[in-house]
Amino acid sequence: MSDLTNHGPIARVASLATRLTDLAERHGGGVRRLSRRRVAVPARWPDLFAPLAICSFILVLVSGIVLTFWFQPSMTQIVYDGDYVPLRGVRMSEAYASTLDISMEVKGGLLVRQVHHWASLVFIAALSAQLLRVFLAGAFRGPKRFGWLILLALLVVSIAEAYLGHSLPDDLQSGTGLRVTEGYLLATPVIGTWLAWLVFGGDFPGEDIIGRLNIVHVYLLPGVIVALFAVQLVLLYRQRPRSTSASAAPAPAGVPLFPSYAARMAGLLLVVSGVIVLMAVTLQVNPVWLWGPFDPAQAPAGSRPPWYLGFLDGAVRLMPPWEVGVLGYELTLSVVVPVMVLPGVMMATLALYPWFEQWATGDRRDPAVLDRPRDMPVRTGLVAGFVAFYLLLWIAGGNDVVATLLHIPLNGLTRALQVAVVVVPPLAFWAAKRVCIGLQLRERDEVEHGHATGVVVASPEGGFSELHRPLSAPEVALRTHPEWTPIGPGAAIDANGVPNPRYQADRRRAPFSRFYFGDVDRSPFESDDQRPVGSDEPTPVA
């Protein structure tokens, strides 16, 4: 009997397997080193935001791939004759009909749709929480600034991806959202008409928009998100501290990447998948069969965008109806400012903030050292003001629903929100900043006097005092925040009459430095030997 491996196809496969085996043996050292690399295990719940985003994105990809087998991205009009009786005989697009088939006829189709929708919402929420955590901790210093930009780009691309997927079913709700998008495009100065014609392929709604959105949603943006994740992981790998001397280096923290960390992440993936599937089973989202097919002549009452775009709709509702004429063109400020200027300013500010803070504060610390929110009161106050501003716009996006539920006049609620969106963010900034400074003062008191024990003693002179327990060295280290002082411009000319070349630049920076550190707490001790550490015996402190 001849050897089966001598046959043409089998021989080629065997040869390829042999070459791959030889390649793995020659270069397996890198793979082994990667598997032995130690990775920090999430120790606190905020550490789970990034793994949660990755797990939910995997679930989005898997469920999205399954849905593509049945979804028809076509606007060709047909007469529906499926299982959903209330819409039987109604003309609709193939996209909407296939969505109904997935929901009503395909076994498990509705569950997959629900999982896909909920996983995308969790993904965006996890990315937003991770972005907020990185900002509060100051984890964007030095080389990590580029990681901050990638994380911000991930959030923007993910929101665009989710909105495109929300628009694909071609139901009355999503079609109304596309109608609003067309209005925003038409309001673009100078090129608005051409831009809307380019996107929709003619007059709204056209016949190509669903197919175009499907290409971007299924093929383009997922690849962009995967590429951004890959770049972020490469940056994290290269930014990890490396030791030049194995004998002098301390024992690395964490667990090996494989199999310990991989097994933990696999378990987290199963848990996240189980929770999202449970949400899909119990919490209905986007019941497209209730809205009916899209009709350009109709708009559903109470139509609202997805939650991640609610702040844009709220900004449009709060913006006064201002219009100006510029060079013969009508500039609709009531749309241009909230839809184009506001998001652009927000994204540019977030993207450039790490460079601005480093310039204003002169912070050149190790990027691996993270801050507590109370360590940088101004940064925490900025977060509080931004969150208050965002929430007010988000509430304004549903002001009609809020007015109906609370039985209050819609116009009065809108006026109140217009005032609040200007007044509340500065108040939130001030309150958060003062809270952080108060926490710093409390920690200084604890470092100086120790922990209060609640035991009150009387002195021979008749006075009363409370016993305090001195802090241990780790407790003191945790409560000792960096010593920041405002950076002044210095002298314009030194003692030798030589002009200071950086005087003008430092003079421009000085107001921002005072804004950050003008009223923050100073270091509680002049020298380390003044810190009461070491003894656990209570000492009376008046």
Side-chain angles (χ1 to χ4, degrees), residues 142-162:
K144 292 186 176 182
R145 290 177 294 190
F146 300 101
W148 166 260
L149 293 180
I150 292 175
L151 186 60
L152 186 62
L154 265 173
L155 179 61
V156 175
V157 175
S158 301
I159 290 176
E161 168 76 346

Side-chain angles (χ1 to χ4, degrees), residues 328-340:
Y329 291 95
E330 195 70 21
L331 194 61
T332 309
L333 297 181
S334 57
V335 176
V336 172
V337 172
V339 176
M340 303 174 190

Side-chain angles (χ1 to χ4, degrees), residues 347-526:
M347 291 300 104
T349 302
L350 290 174
L352 298 178
Y353 181 83
W355 283 268
F356 172 77
E357 182 179 286
Q358 181 175 326
W359 170 77
T361 63
D363 188 359
R364 297 293 190 276
R365 289 177 297 162
D366 183 1
V369 178
L370 302 181
D371 298 322
R372 297 176 301 168
R374 68 188 67 181
D375 294 336
M376 292 291 288
V378 169
R379 186 198 299 154
T380 305
L382 291 174
V383 170
F386 175 80
V387 171
F389 180 72
Y390 178 87
L391 290 179
L392 287 171
L393 293 183
W394 192 75
I395 294 173
N399 59 351
D400 53 339
V401 178
V402 175
T404 302
L405 292 177
L406 299 181
H407 303 286
I408 58 178
L410 176 60
N411 291 336
L413 176 62
T414 302
R415 294 291 181 267
L417 289 173
Q418 287 175 332
V419 174
V421 82
V422 177
V423 174
V424 173
L427 293 179
F429 166 81
W430 176 83
K433 180 182 176 182
R434 300 314 304 177
V435 168
C436 291
I437 294 176
L439 291 174
Q440 289 183 356
L441 293 175
R442 189 187 70 176
E443 289 184 341
R444 183 181 69 176
D445 181 74
E446 290 180 348
V447 173
E448 290 178 345
H449 303 114
H451 281 300
T453 62
V455 179
V456 179
V457 296
S459 65
E461 292 79 12
F464 294 91
S465 61
E466 184 179 8
L467 294 180
H468 286 68
R469 177 183 62 82
L471 274 64
S472 62
E475 291 174 329
V476 171
L478 180 63
R479 288 164 173 77
T480 305
H481 53 82
E483 181 178 358
W484 300 108
T485 55
I487 302 175
I493 301 176
D494 63 12
N496 299 321
V498 178
N500 181 5
R502 294 189 53 83
Y503 175 75
Q504 293 298 331
D506 291 343
R507 185 179 179 183
R508 289 190 295 268
R509 182 175 65 169
F512 297 101
S513 181
R514 289 194 299 270
F515 171 70
Y516 273 90
F517 305 128
D519 54 354
V520 300
D521 181 34
R522 298 292 180 262
S523 180
F525 294 99
E526 297 178 357

